Each structure stands twice: as structure tokens, then as C-alpha cells.
Amino acid sequence: MAGEYPTHLENIIRSLARLPGIGRRTAERLASALLDWERQELAELGTAIVELPDKIHPCKECGNLSDEDLCRICRDPRRDTTLLCVVEQARQIPVIEKCGHYHGLYHVLGGRLSPLEGIEASDLNIGSLYERLGKLTVTEVILSTSPDVEGEATAAYLAEELHGHFDLQVSRIAQGIPVGADLNYADAATMAMAINSRRRVP
Amino acid sequence: MAGEYPTHLENIIRSLARLPGIGRRTAERLASALLDWERQELAELGTAIVELPDKIHPCKECGNLSDEDLCRICRDPRRDTTLLCVVEQARQIPVIEKCGHYHGLYHVLGGRLSPLEGIEASDLNIGSLYERLGKLTVTEVILSTSPDVEGEATAAYLAEELHGHFDLQVSRIAQGIPVGADLNYADAATMAMAINSRRRVP
């Protein structure tokens, strides 16, 4: 493989190929496309990548990705401060924001309980969650950890702790058949969840 | 859509989404992945992208992409200097190099004849091709322009010109059914080419 591209281009190809879902061939195609970009466009993208760790950091309040001390959700006075949604990673917040059905606050745990990886409750941003719940006017905490073993364990742990320390409602995001999915291909665990969490049709 | 990501990250997402085959969603996934990279890795990729137009330029001899005056193919004393392969774009050279069956020189036209786009022979690197053929020891020119109308027209034009000016063999890359392809899905034009260019089985 070596020697087909000038070293500088080869370096870009190898870097791009480290991105998820980008194989060697795609990286070559992307690097080739960059050759057609204007100098100014390349400078913008390249500089933005170099400066990424300095520009983006966790929001001091909730842990969301932010380019200021407080993220735009914590800065937004129109958010519903009675609702707080707990997520594992900051990158999950845009997924929830996009659905357009949640207008409350967030709290980023920075991971989930994982005995295998040695991640305990003290490794997660749980202390700051309690601090926030103590000073905010939250009446419901929505646990939005992943619907897998570790995410469920984390949600179960938090639910118990929250009920023990605060007088508020704790809820979990619904699990079931994805909207638009083909029932023929639903896995057994999801199907079971869909049956057990069935809603009465009024 | 706006507002889900901090401005700096949003800028990176928009830049990445301009790359071929990278939609908004993939760009978001790639930008998220960059957040996990080490500062040093980001600096290497970002700086390489910024410096791309200064580092990579056409080889003075053949027009191949190069980070030196002469590309590594023109610098390589082991290449067969009796063979010269004419391509439209420099980015097509790695495709030929990878097949491992060509060890001659290259010449980049920088495009192909296109009356619709107003691209004439004088817009292509044909003068420098003649210069090179005059001083090199080439005995065969392989025309490796695209197998479409404009690529064929360019090859036909060059074949006639080369035969008129030089005493050398001119050949055209073979066209036919791609290796490993399903005959059921071959288009009529390719099938016709495969029939008409059939080889005798000895």
C-alpha cells in the first residue's frame, strides 16, 4: 500500500481512517476530495480541528458540550427547570434535543456503572447531580441511560438513591419497538419489553 | 437543527458534511469521535489539512500529486521508462499503482476534451506530453482516460495525434465485464464491449 500517495497526503488518509466507519478506501476518497477545496476552507476545517480541545469543554453546570462556561441549554431561560434528564454522555444530548419533545435540563454522568471496567458510582458525576437537585426546582428526574445491562444497572442504582435522598418523581425512558421498524425483525428482548410495557388504548 | 451543538463543533460538522458521501448524521458522528482524540492527534490532522495546499502540488515532470518537485514515481529509477500511461487526473494514478501490474511512467492530462464545458486540447497538458515523449525512451503510450464518451473522444484524439507525431505503439486500457461481477447485471454497452473485445482462449 505504501508509496501510492505523497507522505503528507498519506498522513491525512491514515488520520481519517481512524474515524469510526471510515475505512482506508473512504479515507482516500475524502483526502482526494480535500485536494479540491479552497485554501480558506481547508484552513477553517483544519484550524477548528486543532483548536477543538481548547474550544469545547464540559458545561460547568450540567456537563454538556459547550464553548462557554455554561452550555446553551443551561443559559436558556425558556427551559423547563422542573425536569432534569440524566444521560451517560454529553453527545447523547443532541439526540434528545432533536426529537423536540423535551425542554428540561440535563445532567451528564460521564459514564455508567461497570464492574467489569471498574467504574463505580464515585467515578460518575453523581455528587454534582445531588448538589444541583438540592438547589434547583426539579420535580422529575428522567433516567436516560442506555437500554443495556450496564445502563439499566446505572438507572436502577440512581432511582434507588434519588428516592432515598429527594422527594421527586423518577422516570425511565420507554423501551419497545422502534417507530417505523418491521415487527418481523424485532429481537426477543425488545419484543418482551414492548409487550410488558404495553399501553392501554383509551 | 441549529443549537444542538456548540458553535465550534457545529462548524466542524458543517465542514465535514461537505465531503462526498458524508451526510449531516455521519458528520455529527465523526465530529463526536474527534472529541475523544488526543490533543496531539487533533493537532496532526488539523495542521495537515491546513497545510495541504502548500505541501501537495503537481509533479513538475508528470503532474502526479507530490510533496517534492518530482513525484516518487518520476524519482524511482526502477520504473520502466519505455511505458507511459496517460490519465485524466492525478488521483487516478493510485488506482493503477494498486493493481500492481504497471511499472512505467505516467502523464496527467489535467482533464479531458469536453466541448460542452469548453475544454479543448490546448487546455490539457498535451504540449508537455509531446516534450516528454521527445526526450524519453517511451515505446508505448497507454491511454487510460475514462471509458465514457468524453474519455473515449480524448483517447481517440490523442491516438491520432501520437501516431502522427511519434513512432510508438499506442494502446487503450481494456473494457469489459468487471472481474467478479454478476453477468446478470452487466449493462448492454459493457456487454457489447466484452463481446467485441473477446480474447481467443488458446
Side-chain angles (χ1 to χ4, degrees):
Chain A
M1 298 294 276
E4 285 145 14
Y5 293 96
T7 310
H8 189 85
L9 203 59
E10 177 68 26
N11 291 342
I12 293 180
I13 291 169
R14 288 194 185 164
S15 268
L16 292 174
R18 295 191 50 245
L19 289 165
I22 305 292
R24 168 83 195 183
R25 280 223 178 185
T26 306
E28 288 175 358
R29 195 163 44 82
L30 298 180
S32 281
L34 287 174
L35 288 167
D36 289 334
W37 282 26
E38 299 290 330
R39 176 179 295 266
Q40 175 64 22
E41 296 171 313
L42 290 167
E44 282 170 9
L45 174 59
T47 306
I49 290 174
V50 172
E51 293 177 349
L52 189 57
D54 296 317
K55 294 279 189 178
I56 302 290
H57 40 74
C59 168
K60 284 191 176 169
E61 186 69 16
C62 74
N64 186 15
L65 297 173
S66 180
D67 40 16
E68 299 191 32
D69 272 4
L70 289 181
C71 74
R72 42 176 93 205
I73 291 169
C74 287
R75 289 201 311 268
D76 187 346
R78 292 162 305 181
R79 303 297 296 206
D80 181 347
T81 56
T82 66
L83 288 173
L84 188 142
C85 179
V86 175
V87 294
E88 293 173 12
Q89 303 291 350
R91 67 192 57 175
Q92 290 155 354
I93 293 178
V95 179
I96 299 173
E97 286 295 289
K98 270 181 207 170
C99 85
H101 282 253
Y102 181 74
H103 304 287
L105 305 175
Y106 290 95
H107 191 82
V108 177
L109 289 179
R112 69 255 197 92
L113 298 179
S114 173
L116 282 178
E117 294 170 38
I119 299 172
E120 303 172 10
S122 58
D123 298 318
L124 303 179
N125 302 324
I126 294 179
S128 58
L129 172 62
Y130 293 171
E131 267 179 49
R132 292 182 71 200
L133 291 176
K135 71 185 181 190
L136 290 169
T137 55
V138 174
T139 56
E140 179 180 356
V141 171
I142 302 173
L143 300 173
S144 188
T145 52
S146 305
D148 53 21
V149 175
E150 295 178 340
E152 289 300 338
T154 307
Y157 170 85
L158 282 176
E160 194 177 330
E161 287 287 309
L162 291 171
H163 281 311
H165 289 80
F166 301 94
D167 178 27
L168 43 71
Q169 191 177 323
V170 179
S171 55
R172 179 93 177 96
I173 49 168
Q175 292 169 255
I177 307 295
V179 176
D182 185 337
L183 262 193
N184 292 320
Y185 301 108
D187 64 289
T190 301
M191 197 67 231
M193 189 61 85
I195 293 286
N196 293 331
S197 306
R198 64 190 178 277
R199 290 190 308 173
R200 185 171 172 183
V201 181
Chain B
M1 298 293 277
E4 286 144 15
Y5 294 95
T7 310
H8 189 85
L9 203 59
E10 177 68 26
N11 291 342
I12 293 181
I13 292 169
R14 289 193 185 164
S15 268
L16 292 175
R18 296 191 50 245
L19 288 165
I22 306 292
R24 168 83 195 184
R25 280 222 177 184
T26 306
E28 288 176 357
R29 194 164 45 81
L30 297 181
S32 282
L34 287 174
L35 289 167
D36 289 333
W37 282 26
E38 299 290 332
R39 177 179 293 268
Q40 176 63 23
E41 297 171 314
L42 291 167
E44 282 169 10
L45 175 58
T47 307
I49 290 174
V50 172
E51 292 177 349
L52 190 56
D54 296 317
K55 295 279 188 177
I56 302 290
H57 40 73
C59 167
K60 285 192 174 169
E61 187 68 17
C62 73
N64 186 14
L65 297 173
S66 179
D67 39 18
E68 299 191 31
D69 271 4
L70 288 182
C71 74
R72 44 176 93 205
I73 291 170
C74 286
R75 289 200 312 269
D76 187 346
R78 293 163 303 180
R79 303 296 297 206
D80 182 347
T81 56
T82 65
L83 287 173
L84 189 142
C85 179
V86 175
V87 294
E88 293 172 14
Q89 303 290 349
R91 67 192 55 174
Q92 291 155 353
I93 292 177
V95 179
I96 299 173
E97 286 295 290
K98 270 181 208 171
C99 86
H101 282 254
Y102 182 74
H103 305 286
L105 306 174
Y106 290 96
H107 190 83
V108 177
L109 289 179
R112 68 252 196 97
L113 298 178
S114 172
L116 282 178
E117 294 170 38
I119 300 173
E120 302 172 11
S122 59
D123 298 316
L124 304 178
N125 301 325
I126 295 179
S128 58
L129 172 62
Y130 293 170
E131 268 178 48
R132 292 182 71 199
L133 291 176
K135 70 186 183 191
L136 290 169
T137 55
V138 174
T139 56
E140 179 180 355
V141 171
I142 301 173
L143 300 173
S144 188
T145 52
S146 305
D148 54 19
V149 174
E150 294 177 341
E152 288 299 339
T154 307
Y157 170 86
L158 282 176
E160 192 177 331
E161 288 287 310
L162 290 171
H163 281 310
H165 289 81
F166 300 94
D167 178 28
L168 42 72
Q169 190 177 321
V170 178
S171 55
R172 178 93 177 96
I173 49 167
Q175 291 168 254
I177 307 295
V179 176
D182 185 337
L183 262 192
N184 291 321
Y185 301 108
D187 64 288
T190 301
M191 196 67 231
M193 190 61 85
I195 293 286
N196 293 331
S197 305
R198 66 189 178 277
R199 289 189 309 172
R200 186 171 172 184
V201 180

